[in-house]
Amino acid sequence: MNPRSPQKCFVAIVGAHQMRVAKVASLLHANESLSTIELLSLVSSEEQSRTTNFPEVVNVEYLPCVASFDSYEDENGSTVRYLVKLEYYGANGTLKVGKSLAPFFDQINDETEFQDDNGSMEDVFPGIAAVAIGCGIESDDDVEKIKVFLNSFSSSCSKVAMGKKNNSHDDETDTSLIIECIKPNSAFTTMKEENDAFRGLNDELKKEAARTCSIGPGKMAKFAHEVAKRTVLRRWRKVITVESEDMQQNSAPNDLNDESGYPNDTTELSTSQGLSEANIEKASFEQHTPDPERTRY
C-alpha cells in the first residue's frame, strides 16, 4: 500500500442535551489520538498489500449535534413522539443556535477526487460517514427516527463511496451510513441508570472515570472513536473487495482475438483441421530432421 495523503472522516455525535454533547467534544479535542485513525494498526501486512487506493491515516472530525423531540396526541388519544430537528452546534458544540447538517452532504458531487503526491484518489468518506448516539438518547424508537432522518441525506454518499468505476455493484451495505447508539455497562440496566451513578461520584472518581473512559462523558468519547474506527475499517474492506473483483474481471481469459468477434488462431486451427490437443502439442515440440536430398534455398 503506497503512502497516501490523509483523508477526513466526519462522525456526528448526537445527544439530547447540548452541554453533555459539548463535554464529550471537549474530551475528544483534548486527546489528539482520538482524532486520528492509523489504518496500518487495524489490518495485517497481507491485507495492506491488497490495495493502493486507501490512505494510511484518516483524520476524524467530530460534529456535535443535538436532537430535539416533541409529541402530540393523535385522533385515537395515543401519544405520538416525533423528531423536531437535528442540528449541528459547531466544532465545540457551544453555538447558541444550531445549524443544518445538509451542507455536509451537499458537498457531494461528481468531483469526488483529490490530488496527493501519488496522483488522484477517490474520496472514500463523502458526507457524514458515521453517527454515535448517546448523551440522553437511548430508546430504540428515538434512534430509529434519527436513522430515518439521516439516511434521507446519506443515500447519495453511499453511491459515491462505492467509487465512480464501481457503479455496477449493487450491494451498498458496506458503504452505508453507520449509526450506533451507546449501551450501558453490564452493571446497569439503562444508560439513564448509568449516568445517574456517574453523577453520584465525587470529583476524584469522575476524573478517574474520564481517564479510563469507563463511564460518563469519557465513555461516550471513546465510543465515538470506536464507531469511527469501525467505519474506516469497513470502508477499507469495501475498497479492497471492489479492487479484487475488478482485477479478476480484467485478468479473465478472452476467447476473442479482436473486436470483430472471430476466434483466436489456436481455436481456429484445432477446429478447422480436426487436430486433437495431443497432436497439436506433438506438432509443436517434435524435433524436425532435415532431408539431405531436398534442395534448399
Side-chain angles (χ1 to χ4, degrees):
M1 184 167 62
N2 297 329
R4 288 287 189 176
S5 298
Q7 283 198 20
K8 183 182 292 185
C9 175
F10 288 112
V11 176
I13 303 172
V14 179
H17 307 286
Q18 183 180 356
M19 290 183 61
R20 289 167 63 178
V21 172
K23 177 61 177 179
V24 173
S26 68
L27 293 176
L28 289 167
H29 292 318
N31 189 343
E32 293 185 359
S33 65
L34 297 179
S35 297
T36 302
I37 297 175
E38 295 185 2
L39 181 62
L40 300 184
S41 65
L42 302 179
V43 299
S44 65
S45 56
E46 186 276 329
E47 289 177 310
Q48 294 171 25
S49 65
R50 295 174 60 186
T51 182
T52 59
N53 195 34
F54 206 92
E56 293 184 5
V57 176
V58 177
N59 295 325
V60 182
E61 183 170 329
Y62 298 99
L63 309 176
C65 303
V66 176
S68 300
F69 295 87
D70 203 346
S71 61
Y72 65 90
E73 188 175 289
D74 65 11
E75 56 186 13
N76 298 320
S78 301
T79 300
V80 178
R81 184 175 171 85
Y82 64 96
L83 176 65
V84 178
K85 57 184 177 179
L86 175 56
E87 295 180 319
Y88 170 59
Y89 278 79
N92 298 315
T94 55
L95 292 179
K96 291 183 178 180
V97 179
K99 298 182 178 180
S100 171
L101 288 172
F104 292 100
F105 297 101
D106 290 342
Q107 297 174 6
I108 307 305
N109 51 51
D110 292 335
E111 301 299 326
T112 55
E113 294 185 352
F114 65 89
Q115 295 284 332
D116 65 5
D117 294 336
N118 291 298
S120 64
M121 179 180 175
E122 290 183 0
D123 182 6
V124 292
F125 302 105
I128 296 176
V131 181
I133 301 176
C135 300
I137 299 176
E138 63 174 315
S139 76
D140 292 340
D141 187 56
D142 286 352
V143 171
E144 184 61 28
K145 288 177 173 59
I146 293 173
K147 285 183 177 181
V148 171
F149 176 80
L150 290 174
N151 282 330
S152 66
F153 286 105
S154 67
S155 58
S156 61
C157 296
S158 295
K159 296 177 182 178
V160 171
M162 291 289 294
K164 287 181 284 186
K165 66 179 180 179
N166 302 317
N167 292 332
S168 61
H169 296 272
D170 295 327
D171 182 12
E172 296 179 2
T173 303
D174 293 336
T175 55
S176 59
L177 179 64
I178 293 180
I179 302 177
E180 297 184 14
C181 186
I182 194 169
K183 302 297 182 185
N185 294 331
S186 58
F188 305 97
T189 305
T190 65
M191 284 302 304
K192 183 181 184 307
E193 183 182 335
E194 182 175 306
N195 289 328
D196 288 343
F198 172 77
R199 296 187 188 95
L201 301 177
N202 59 39
D203 291 343
E204 193 64 30
L205 289 176
K206 285 183 178 179
K207 290 181 180 179
E208 178 65 15
R211 186 186 66 81
T212 60
C213 300
S214 57
I215 192 174
K219 176 184 173 181
M220 183 64 192
K222 181 181 179 181
F223 172 70
H225 181 63
E226 290 297 323
V227 170
K229 285 171 62 176
R230 285 193 288 275
T231 301
V232 170
L233 188 58
R234 202 161 89 169
R235 290 286 173 90
W236 180 79
R237 283 175 173 161
K238 188 62 179 181
V239 168
I240 63 173
T241 299
V242 169
E243 287 191 355
S244 298
E245 291 175 356
D246 288 347
M247 290 179 62
Q248 291 176 0
Q249 291 177 359
N250 294 334
S251 62
N254 188 1
D255 291 336
L256 305 180
N257 66 344
D258 56 29
E259 296 180 354
S260 64
Y262 289 104
N264 58 38
D265 293 341
T266 303
T267 305
E268 187 175 27
L269 177 64
S270 62
T271 302
S272 62
Q273 296 186 7
L275 296 177
S276 66
E277 183 177 347
N279 289 336
I280 294 175
E281 183 177 357
K282 181 178 180 181
S284 301
F285 295 100
E286 195 173 50
Q287 183 176 0
H288 173 67
T289 304
D291 184 358
E293 299 297 327
R294 297 185 63 181
T295 303
R296 291 177 170 273
Y297 296 94

